Amino acid sequence: MTKLYKKSEITFAILWIVAYVVLSSLADQFSENIGITKSITAVLHIAMSLILFFWIQKNKLGEKYGFCRSSIPAKRFLFYIPLIIIASTAFWGGIKLQYDILESLFYFISMLCVGFLEEVIFRGLLFRAMEKDNLKSAIIVSALTFGLGHIVNLFNGSGKDLIV
C-alpha cells in the first residue's frame, strides 16, 4: 500500500473509493443472502477502518489527515449543542426499529465506520492528493465523488427500512 501511495496519492485514493463502494455493495448483498442485515457489511467496514487508520498511523500521516488535536478550544464546540438538539427532534416521539437488536447493532457499527471511511477517503486521501495541484478542482472532484458514492446507496435502498 505504501509503495502505491508514494507513487500516486490520487490512484491510491481512487482505489480506496472503488474498493469501499464495490465491497460495501457486495457485503450488503451477502448480508441479505445469509439473512442477517448488515452482518457482513459491519465486519467489512470495521476491517477497512482499522486497516486505513493503522496504515495512516504507521506511515506517520496522522496530522496530514486530521488525526491530531484540534487547535480550536473545546469550549468553542459548545455552540454546536443547538444543532444537535435540532437534529435530534426526529427521535423525540420515539422510534420503532424494523430489525432485531443484533441487526440494529450491525447497522449502528456499520454507519459509524462509514462516517470514518468516507471522511478519510473522500475528504482526506482524495482531497489532499488533489489540493496540491488545484484547490478548486480538489473541492469539486472530492464533493462529486462523495456524492456519487452515495448514489449507490440510493439505488440499493440502503437504510430505507431501518426505522418507521
Side-chain angles (χ1 to χ4, degrees):
M1 274 192 354
T2 304
K3 278 185 182 179
L4 177 60
Y5 177 81
K6 287 180 180 178
K7 185 176 180 181
S8 173
E9 288 183 42
I10 291 175
T11 303
F12 183 79
I14 291 170
L15 285 175
W16 267 97
I17 290 167
V18 169
Y20 165 70
V21 171
V22 170
L23 292 175
S24 293
S25 294
L26 290 173
D28 278 343
Q29 287 301 314
F30 289 139
S31 296
E32 292 298 322
N33 289 343
I34 64 170
I36 304 172
T37 305
K38 293 289 184 186
S39 55
I40 305 297
T41 312
V43 172
L44 171 73
H45 288 160
I46 290 169
M48 289 182 80
S49 296
L50 290 173
I51 290 167
L52 191 54
F53 177 76
F54 286 118
W55 180 83
I56 288 171
Q57 294 303 319
K58 177 185 169 207
N59 289 283
K60 297 177 178 36
L61 297 168
E63 193 166 325
K64 180 177 181 176
Y65 295 115
F67 294 104
C68 57
R69 278 193 173 272
S70 174
S71 60
I72 301 169
K75 73 178 191 176
R76 297 235 0 236
F77 289 103
L78 293 174
F79 292 111
Y80 289 101
I81 290 175
L83 291 175
I84 293 168
I85 292 169
I86 291 168
S88 71
T89 59
F91 302 110
W92 292 359
I95 61 172
K96 179 183 175 208
L97 297 177
Q98 296 289 63
Y99 300 107
D100 64 32
I101 296 297
L102 183 62
E103 289 175 322
S104 297
L105 180 65
F106 285 142
Y107 251 107
F108 181 73
I109 291 168
S110 184
M111 293 305 114
L112 284 177
C113 292
V114 161
F116 172 81
L117 286 167
E118 289 180 354
E119 291 302 319
V120 172
I121 294 169
F122 292 102
R123 294 199 172 96
L125 298 175
L126 183 62
F127 179 79
R128 293 283 183 205
M130 293 185 69
E131 78 171 335
K132 295 178 255 178
D133 299 326
N134 187 329
L135 183 59
K136 275 187 191 176
S137 293
I139 292 169
I140 292 168
V141 171
S142 175
L144 285 174
T145 55
F146 187 79
L148 289 173
H150 286 87
I151 287 176
V152 172
N153 291 335
L154 178 66
F155 290 132
N156 71 18
S158 181
K160 70 179 181 338
D161 296 327
L162 185 58
I163 59 174
V164 176

